[in-house]
Amino acid sequence: MLEIDKILEKCGDCHRLQVIMLLLFSIINILSSTHYYSQTIISFVPKYRCLDENRNYLQTNSDTLAPSSCLPSNNASGIHCDLYEYDLYMDYESLTSELNWICDNAWKVTLGQSMFFIGSVVGTLTFGLLADVLGRLPILILANIIAMLGNILTVFGTSVLRFSIFRFISGMATDSNFVMMYILVMEYLRPSLRTIGLSLCIGFFYCLGSMMAPWIAVVMQTWRGFLLATSIPLIIVPLFYFIVPESVQWLISKQKYDKATASLKQVAKINGRTLDESVYMEFINDCKRKQLYVKVGPNLLGLFATPRLRRNTLILFFKSMVITLCYDAVSRNVQGLGISPFVMFTLSATTILPACLLLIALQDRIGRKAMASLSLLVSGIFISCTGVILSQSDNEKNVILIVALSIIGRFGVTVAYNSGAQYATELIPTCVRGQGVAAVHVVGYAFTFFSTYILYMRHYFFPLPEIILGFISLLGAALCLLLPETLHRTLPSSLEDGENFGKNDRWYIFSFMEKRTQSVDTLSSSTIPNQQPDNS
């Protein structure tokens, strides 16, 4: 709302409070990254071999175990094995090595990981609805408390049923424990600083948290210690209640004018500003007048009513599925590549900050379509090449090449993932933007359910995960070419605008190849006089 931006400028939109909120957002980035990747860290599978009935096996001259085997060294008949010996990575005992959830029992970890992502979809929908009823700040606190509770309960989840239930609870917090703070910071930050401020904050601190995660596990030595070490710090999030103001925009939408005024006064007080009471009253009166003319708009189904808008919406859904699935699977695909998974995880996480910096530098230069398609293309090519090399019989000589290809693939999909939300926001018409963006986001998260099963396919054919991920990345890159460009263009407001948006675009034309134009062909200059391009 324009009125909110104006009064925030008077209360201070780039001052002490904004610095404090960005610092708190940095903490949320670190905490949410260690929570998200707990799935990977606790389920590392070290090298293992089955022990025979005499609790021994044929040891080689090497200090480490031979390639993992589910059969006793003196028996190739396929007798079931109940006892294993592990070559632990840096003496870290994971859940899989403690509970012997390998070989015939490997499905138990996969099931638990799937329940985590089912929980994330349920949590995103539930907390999203609750945030519209209770407010952003209470849901931020509630989601982080549930994240802490779910991870602490997982410590006691030594049966497949308890493990699955506790991972579901932990997964419910995923996304909401981050997004609610993102919304609050974005609202209270000066519009011209939102993109660079939030992107740098996410790029640096989410990257830092991701790089720290495996080494916290090494220090704690056990998966239980890791979960406790990354969960207990979440207890500080409820303290945000005493510092972070509730969303003024949400309070106004719920006609809670007194509380909206109190939040604005809190902002002004922290920023050392003093405003006359009449300023607040004028703001509230303006908001009341605007709300008198608010009409009930179209709903989400309107996106499927006309052919071009329906096609673009379905492509956005598929693009979100591809990006979210590949991002999750590639992020967790750190084993079997020839080096320690702790080192590989850290190297892979280093791509997060460069990806954010590249996005800031290029997205407003080459356009949304080029950024989305090229990043998925790069990811698909390098992930596929990794699969080709892994299919060869002798991979030990190609370890450096495999690691390099995998990291570049992770870089490409991280760029695509970070740029996806803004592209969807700009393509979906304003009248259904909130519902549409939420639907695209939830559909993408729901698809991560399959990431654990794609990685599990390594048991059948070692390079199969890379082949699948590479293929769908390339398919996503091709489909992105069918979407219209949004950079330097008047964004669609109505469903009719959405249907006609980019009608004359060609799949091979990108923003950097053309001059600034107005893409909604049916809009005449008399309808929108002197309107400036909107890419917010």
Side-chain angles (χ1 to χ4, degrees):
M1 292 177 65
L2 186 60
E3 293 83 1
I4 294 178
D5 288 338
K6 287 181 178 178
I7 195 168
L8 278 176
E9 187 176 355
K10 297 176 182 178
C11 295
D13 56 6
C14 182
H15 210 273
R16 191 179 299 122
L17 175 69
Q18 284 70 31
V19 173
I20 293 172
M21 291 186 71
L22 285 171
L23 288 175
L24 295 178
F25 184 51
S26 301
I27 295 173
I28 289 293
N29 272 274
I30 294 174
L31 296 176
S32 61
S33 62
T34 55
H35 171 258
Y36 181 80
Y37 290 119
S38 63
Q39 283 293 97
T40 305
I41 304 298
I42 66 174
S43 58
F44 278 159
V45 182
K47 288 184 179 180
Y48 58 87
R49 282 193 66 182
C50 178
L51 299 180
D52 60 22
E53 63 276 6
N54 298 317
R55 302 178 65 87
N56 57 51
Y57 62 94
L58 183 62
Q59 177 67 54
T60 64
N61 293 328
S62 172
D63 292 333
T64 60
L65 296 177
S68 299
S69 172
C70 295
L71 298 175
S73 58
N74 60 351
N75 191 322
S77 62
I79 296 177
H80 180 72
C81 185
D82 296 314
L83 189 62
Y84 299 88
E85 178 162 316
Y86 296 91
D87 183 16
L88 300 178
Y89 296 114
M90 300 184 181
D91 296 324
Y92 168 70
E93 184 168 50
S94 65
L95 175 139
T96 51
S97 59
E98 179 183 321
L99 303 180
N100 288 331
W101 283 1
I102 55 175
C103 299
D104 292 340
N105 291 320
W107 63 271
K108 297 179 179 179
V109 178
T110 303
L111 177 62
Q113 291 175 334
S114 300
M115 293 304 295
F116 181 90
F117 293 113
I118 292 175
S120 71
V121 175
V122 173
T124 299
L125 293 172
T126 302
F127 289 136
L129 293 173
L130 288 176
D132 287 337
V133 176
L134 303 176
R136 309 330 186 197
L137 189 56
I139 298 306
L140 168 68
I141 294 170
L142 179 61
N144 279 278
I145 290 175
I146 288 178
M148 180 177 66
L149 177 65
N151 277 356
I152 291 176
L153 287 174
T154 302
V155 169
F156 305 100
T158 53
S159 73
V160 65
L161 178 60
R162 290 200 302 270
F163 180 70
S164 298
I165 293 173
F166 297 155
R167 294 321 290 161
F168 176 87
I169 294 172
S170 179
M172 285 185 67
T174 302
D175 196 43
S176 297
N177 62 342
F178 169 87
V179 168
M180 294 302 157
M181 189 64 185
Y182 180 94
I183 292 172
L184 289 168
V185 176
M186 181 177 66
E187 181 172 325
Y188 284 102
L189 193 62
R190 181 180 298 171
S192 61
L193 299 176
R194 286 171 184 169
T195 299
I196 188 168
L198 291 168
S199 297
L200 287 177
C201 206
I202 294 170
F204 185 80
F205 288 98
Y206 200 90
C207 177
L208 179 63
S210 302
M211 293 174 66
M212 287 169 51
W215 304 108
I216 294 174
V218 171
V219 171
M220 302 306 296
Q221 291 290 285
T222 66
W223 64 277
R224 287 187 174 89
F226 169 78
L227 287 178
L228 291 174
T230 55
S231 300
I232 292 175
L234 291 168
I235 196 67
I236 68 173
V237 177
L239 300 178
F240 287 19
Y241 180 82
F242 301 101
I243 304 172
V244 179
E246 179 55 273
S247 165
V248 173
Q249 188 164 331
W250 176 79
L251 291 170
I252 292 295
S253 71
K254 296 298 180 181
Q255 298 183 355
K256 298 183 179 183
Y257 303 117
D258 291 340
K259 292 185 177 181
T261 302
S263 292
L264 290 170
K265 288 181 177 179
Q266 180 184 353
V267 174
K269 181 179 179 181
I270 295 176
N271 286 336
R273 302 283 182 89
T274 302
L275 299 182
D276 190 79
E277 193 68 27
S278 62
V279 176
Y280 298 110
M281 290 302 299
E282 182 182 357
F283 164 70
I284 295 299
N285 290 332
D286 286 344
C287 292
K288 287 180 179 180
R289 281 195 296 271
K290 281 288 183 71
Q291 288 181 323
L292 291 176
Y293 300 100
V294 173
K295 298 180 180 179
V296 177
N299 57 33
L300 180 65
L301 296 179
L303 291 173
F304 302 92
T306 52
R308 292 193 70 260
L309 188 56
R310 179 168 58 246
R311 185 200 69 175
N312 290 344
T313 302
L314 291 175
I315 292 176
L316 285 175
F317 278 10
F318 183 78
K319 174 174 170 284
S320 180
M321 293 176 185
V322 169
I323 290 174
T324 312
L325 172 64
C326 289
Y327 181 81
D328 179 75
V330 172
S331 300
R332 297 193 294 111
N333 187 27
V334 295
Q335 295 195 244
L337 301 180
I339 64 174
S340 163
F342 294 99
V343 176
M344 184 62 209
F345 192 97
T346 304
L347 292 174
S348 180
T350 59
T351 62
I352 297 174
L353 179 58
C356 286
L357 295 177
L358 182 70
L359 202 64
I360 293 172
L362 292 185
Q363 181 153 265
D364 288 339
R365 295 177 182 271
I366 68 173
R368 316 312 192 217
K369 182 169 78 170
M371 181 63 73
S373 186
L374 287 175
S375 57
L376 283 173
L377 178 64
V378 168
S379 177
I381 291 174
F382 283 92
I383 292 174
S384 299
C385 290
T386 305
V388 170
I389 296 175
L390 286 173
S391 65
Q392 299 176 6
S393 57
D394 184 11
N395 292 324
E396 293 184 1
K397 298 179 181 179
N398 299 317
V399 170
I400 296 178
L401 180 59
I402 291 172
V403 170
L405 292 174
S406 180
I407 291 173
I408 296 173
R410 167 72 188 274
F411 175 78
V413 77
T414 302
V415 173
Y417 183 83
N418 291 343
S419 65
Q422 184 173 354
Y423 199 9
T425 300
E426 294 176 350
L427 271 177
I428 296 174
T430 304
C431 58
V432 289
R433 184 166 293 162
Q435 300 173 58
V437 171
V440 169
H441 186 69
V442 170
V443 166
Y445 250 102
F447 217 58
T448 56
F449 170 84
F450 298 102
S451 66
T452 54
Y453 293 98
I454 290 176
L455 296 179
Y456 185 76
M457 289 181 182
R458 198 179 294 285
H459 290 80
Y460 303 105
F461 182 51
F462 199 76
L464 190 55
E466 284 77 14
I467 294 173
I468 295 173
L469 294 172
F471 172 75
I472 62 176
S473 292
L474 293 173
L475 181 59
L479 287 176
C480 283
L481 296 176
L482 301 178
L483 292 173
E485 181 57 75
T486 60
L487 181 64
H488 299 324
R489 299 189 178 183
T490 304
L491 301 183
S493 296
S494 65
L495 294 177
E496 183 182 0
D497 293 344
E499 173 65 16
N500 292 292
F501 188 81
K503 199 169 187 178
N504 296 324
D505 282 8
R506 298 292 180 264
W507 66 269
Y508 51 84
I509 298 297
F510 299 97
S511 179
F512 60 86
M513 300 166 60
E514 59 184 8
K515 297 180 180 179
R516 296 174 67 142
T517 62
Q518 179 169 299
S519 181
V520 185
D521 301 321
T522 60
L523 297 181
S524 64
S525 58
S526 60
T527 305
I528 305 181
N530 300 323
Q531 182 168 348
Q532 296 299 314
D534 177 10
N535 282 310
S536 58

